[in-house]
Amino acid sequence: MSVFDDLVGQEQAAAVLSRAARAAAEAVEGGRGAGMTHAWLFTGPPGCGREDAARAFAAALLCPSGGCGHCDQCHQVMIGSHPDLEAVRPEGLSYSVKQTRELILRAAGAPTQGRWRVILFENADRVTESAANALLKAIEEPPPRTVWLLCAPAPDDMIITIRSRCRVVGLVTPSGAAVAHVLATRESVPWEMADFAARASQGDLSRARALALDEGVRQRREAVLAIPRSLSGVGDCITAAERLVKTAEEEAAAATAALNETETAELRKLYGEGSSGKGLNRGLVRGGAGALKELEDRQKSRATRVKRDSLDVALLELVSYYRDVLAVQLGAPVELANEDQRFHLDTLARASTPEETLRRIDAIMQCRERLAANVNPQIAVEAMMLGLRRP
């Protein structure tokens, strides 16, 4: 049993990481810690398990046995409680230079238990330009026992100066069969449901797990895939756009409300709200007004990110739908992600041309680009819906 055994469909990357962890241990034992690669960049498509691979590598670096999967060191890494592992997950639209500099200071500390001080930076592509420059300096001149594990969708998402100083580990989309096997064996999902979820998620394990285990997720998918056959007029397009954006807003609110409330309550308590003593409560709360405003800004940024991510999931569902339409039109011998929608796929394939289908896919991808550029979601989605409208 190894920490790399849980990396679904990533046998080649797992072998590379396992060898690297062994080499790192030998370098430390031989007094050659400086020869270790101190910056790694994990890349790959959504759902490939970039963060899982980075965490498994962190466990292998910190485990005396190179990632056995059952010792205390491995267990602490996998649940996020190891003192020598710092996991960073930017929750907002970006990761600021202030946050990056604070992280660099923490990364400079010496390891307390393991051989290394490991910084696992999820969504590293969200760093701002100034934050990327600060991060570059830390990667160029790292402490001898600090290892940076950066995760991003593609190498090009990081500035070239950072990319050139990292060893890149490319992950691939797991096969549908591998994802279905994991759902059936680890989650006890019936095989028919596991097979459906694996195909519908196109190899994204986290998405497949959600589809297999959550009826609400399946219902939202059904609603999104019903959009193409509802766009017969301009009014339908505006209504569909409004409904899609509103659903994303509701999901963002539901996902962040409880966390926001807890964070705000803890901050107010930290600054003395509810404390006894003459003048104590007012003075400390007033002193924490700046911190409270900063927290509110972070919470708004996080809500915007969750909303955008929710919209992006819906847009990718639409892309997969039209890709299947195109496959039917061209008679391509490929597995359809939305085989459960076969009747509607065949109907749209007969009623349109491959050129029209490609234009609709382009409209969706353009909407994604506009949302990434902070275009108003309602405007961007309305424009997309008009591009999807049937003549």
Side-chain angles (χ1 to χ4, degrees):
M1 180 66 181
S2 163
V3 291
F4 297 112
D5 291 344
D6 288 336
L7 301 183
V8 180
Q10 309 296 344
E11 290 78 12
Q12 184 174 355
V16 169
L17 295 172
S18 180
R19 288 195 299 269
R22 290 196 299 270
E26 292 170 0
V28 171
E29 292 169 0
R32 297 178 288 106
M36 165 67 175
T37 300
H38 286 265
W40 297 71
L41 177 58
F42 292 78
T43 66
C48 68
R50 295 185 297 266
E51 291 77 17
D52 293 339
R55 190 173 292 275
F57 185 46
L61 290 174
L62 296 172
C63 171
S65 303
C68 63
H70 54 75
C71 69
D72 288 342
Q73 301 277 358
C74 287
H75 179 68
Q76 289 175 352
V77 170
M78 301 316 279
I79 66 173
S81 65
H82 197 290
D84 292 329
L85 172 67
E86 170 120 14
V88 182
R89 178 181 298 172
E91 295 181 329
L93 295 174
S94 62
Y95 200 71
S96 70
V97 65
K98 177 184 176 181
Q99 293 171 307
T100 303
R101 286 171 178 162
E102 291 172 351
L103 174 63
I104 291 170
L105 286 175
R106 297 196 300 272
T112 59
Q113 290 185 9
R115 303 182 180 100
W116 308 96
R117 174 80 169 145
V118 182
I119 311 299
L120 198 170
F121 199 153
E122 301 181 18
N123 302 119
D125 53 305
R126 294 185 188 176
V127 294
T128 61
E129 183 177 355
S130 54
N133 291 328
L135 182 61
L136 171 62
K137 184 171 180 60
I139 289 176
E140 282 180 323
E141 302 173 2
R145 292 295 180 88
T146 297
V147 180
W148 290 84
L149 309 180
L150 310 179
C151 302
D156 290 345
D157 289 324
M158 303 302 298
I159 61 174
I160 189 170
T161 46
I162 288 181
R163 189 169 72 240
S164 64
R165 288 163 175 79
C166 294
R167 182 171 176 181
V168 179
V169 179
L171 304 178
V172 298
T173 301
S175 67
V179 172
H181 177 75
V182 169
L183 293 177
T185 55
R186 299 183 192 172
E187 307 289 347
S188 300
V189 175
W191 179 256
E192 185 177 352
M193 175 61 74
D195 182 59
F196 154 76
R199 281 189 291 101
S201 67
Q202 301 177 77
D204 184 330
L205 180 58
S206 60
R207 176 67 175 168
R209 185 178 286 112
L211 283 169
L213 302 177
D214 192 331
E215 176 65 26
V217 173
R218 293 195 293 273
Q219 290 176 352
R220 287 193 290 274
R221 171 181 175 270
E222 289 283 346
V224 169
L225 297 184
I227 288 174
R229 55 183 184 272
S230 70
L231 305 177
S232 57
V234 174
D236 296 326
C237 295
I238 303 302
T239 300
E242 183 179 2
R243 185 165 57 246
L244 192 61
V245 173
K246 183 178 180 181
T247 298
E249 291 173 344
E250 291 173 348
E251 289 182 2
T256 59
L259 181 57
N260 289 351
E261 184 177 345
T262 300
E263 289 176 340
T264 302
E266 289 178 350
L267 186 62
R268 288 184 179 278
K269 183 179 179 180
L270 179 65
Y271 278 90
E273 185 171 80
S275 301
S276 60
K278 185 177 180 180
L280 182 61
N281 187 9
R282 178 182 301 177
L284 288 181
V285 172
R286 183 167 60 246
L292 187 59
K293 177 63 168 61
E294 184 178 343
L295 175 62
E296 290 173 350
D297 290 341
R298 290 201 306 269
Q299 290 173 342
K300 288 178 182 177
S301 179
R302 180 170 60 204
T304 301
R305 167 57 61 182
V306 174
K307 174 183 174 181
R308 183 182 293 176
D309 289 347
S310 177
L311 274 174
D312 199 53
V313 169
L315 297 183
L316 291 175
E317 295 280 12
L318 287 173
V319 169
S320 74
Y321 186 90
Y322 284 109
R323 188 213 66 166
D324 285 352
V325 171
L326 185 64
V328 172
Q329 290 172 326
L330 299 178
V334 297
E335 182 181 69
L336 301 182
N338 303 285
E339 183 65 43
D340 57 308
Q341 302 282 322
R342 188 56 186 257
F343 173 79
H344 301 297
L345 295 174
D346 290 342
T347 301
L348 184 55
R350 289 192 299 268
S352 59
T353 66
E355 291 76 15
E356 289 172 331
T357 302
L358 286 172
R359 283 197 295 271
R360 287 166 174 154
I361 292 175
D362 286 342
I364 300 170
M365 299 308 291
Q366 187 177 50
C367 180
R368 295 184 72 212
E369 292 173 2
R370 288 170 174 170
L371 290 173
N374 290 324
V375 172
N376 181 284
Q378 185 68 35
I379 295 174
V381 176
E382 283 179 2
M384 179 196 73
M385 293 297 183
L386 291 171
L388 301 182
R389 182 167 60 101
R390 291 179 294 173

